[in-house]
Amino acid sequence: MAADIAFFRAPDHQTAAATRLTGPGRAFESVTCHSIEPDSAVVEWDMYFEEPSAEPPPLERLHAWEGPSWVTPPLNDGVEVFALPGRLTLALANASSSELRELAARWTTRLKDTDGDDMTDDEPLAILEGVARLAASAVSSNDGLYCWSY
């Protein structure tokens, strides 16, 4: 699992890519978390907003879903930066608290099924609420939403 993750907003891919070596730090508005697989989380979230359901989809369906686009692909050091899909950024920005709670419950079920006792120490709902606020900020400033992880 990734050790450190930061969801952040940036004006463009080039600016987001520049965070590769050091992370977004204080220069970018961000939400941090630990011990999740951010690209898998983003796929889970995107699928939820495209096909809402309280029940997690089968793994093979989730694995077939188009993943986020890499701004800097993961290299041997494990660092990666990717852009969240624009439709997901917009969906998160406009999500109701009940949608976020339902998605958090679904995502928690997926994490428990996949990781069992090694599930993240982070609170999934708190992560989603933070990323949703960040998405709303990104949409209002015409920025993109990105993820840096190590």
Side-chain angles (χ1 to χ4, degrees), residues 11-63:
D12 54 50
H13 284 9
Q14 183 178 359
T15 305
T19 68
R20 187 192 180 292
L21 295 178
T22 59
R26 296 180 190 269
F28 298 88
E29 184 180 357
S30 64
V31 171
T32 60
C33 55
H34 307 279
S35 301
I36 65 166
E37 290 292 339
D39 48 342
S40 296
V42 166
V43 167
E44 179 90 31
W45 304 347
D46 189 40
M47 186 177 222
Y48 171 82
F49 286 109
E50 290 294 305
E51 300 176 4
S53 168
E55 296 300 316
L59 276 176
E60 52 279 351
R61 178 114 171 78
L62 193 67
H63 292 155

Side-chain angles (χ1 to χ4, degrees), residues 123-146:
E123 173 58 42
L125 180 57
I127 294 169
L128 281 166
E129 289 171 337
V131 175
R133 281 189 299 274
L134 190 60
S137 178
V139 167
S140 71
S141 62
N142 207 25
D143 285 346
L145 194 55
Y146 298 89

Side-chain angles (χ1 to χ4, degrees), residues 73-86:
L75 300 175
N76 288 341
D77 62 2
V79 177
E80 61 190 14
V81 179
F82 62 82
L84 276 68

